[in-house]
Amino acid sequence: MSTKNFTFDPESGVPNAADLVIYGGANFKNTFNVDNTSNENYDLTGWSGSAQMQKSAGIGATDIPAATFTVGFSSAYDGQFYISLGSTQTRNLPAGRYEYNVLVSSGATIYNIVNGNILVHTGIASAP
């Protein structure tokens, strides 16, 4: 499990960037700690989220997501959320470079809060 910290400014209209690594056959979870522009925890209480990944453009990319993450709010008041995949999902990902994004919403307003690249390594032994 890894943790990424960033500042979220909804007025900017620009997502934050964070690159991640997934090991095939292992559980994956990344926690994001979000601050506001005053360097205080961004209150995400009542927000919802979704996240997907797909092969990077030019590398056998398709419009079909390679995986859909579980998005959870571990401490919404403190600006903490996570994305995760189980070992069964990561086991089926071919090695390579992917892109992902995380969308969060409050009411009818949707923000692309974070995106980046994911490097998937395969060949990790795992329990059946």
Side-chain angles (χ1 to χ4, degrees):
M1 183 174 111
S2 66
T3 302
K4 304 286 185 184
N5 303 307
F6 64 87
T7 300
F8 175 49
D9 179 7
E11 300 300 316
S12 73
V14 178
N16 291 276
D19 293 339
L20 307 171
V21 176
I22 293 177
Y23 294 94
N27 289 324
F28 167 81
K29 183 176 181 181
N30 191 93
T31 299
F32 296 93
N33 294 315
V34 184
D35 288 337
N36 61 26
T37 55
S38 298
N39 207 25
E40 299 170 346
N41 295 337
Y42 198 101
D43 186 357
L44 297 169
T45 302
W47 290 51
S48 62
S50 65
Q52 295 181 338
M53 63 184 275
Q54 69 180 29
K55 276 289 212 181
S56 294
I59 309 175
T62 66
D63 290 336
I64 301 170
T68 299
F69 294 96
T70 297
V71 178
F73 292 82
S74 44
S75 182
Y77 179 77
D78 294 323
Q80 293 180 350
F81 72 92
Y82 65 86
I83 61 173
S84 65
L85 294 172
S87 60
T88 302
Q89 291 169 293
T90 65
R91 183 179 298 120
N92 296 325
L93 291 172
R97 188 170 58 112
Y98 294 75
E99 296 175 338
Y100 79 100
N101 72 338
V102 180
L103 303 178
V104 293
S105 61
S106 176
T109 306
I110 300 172
Y111 300 98
N112 183 359
I113 194 168
V114 63
N115 62 19
N117 294 306
I118 297 178
L119 184 58
V120 174
H121 295 284
T122 58
I124 306 299
S126 62

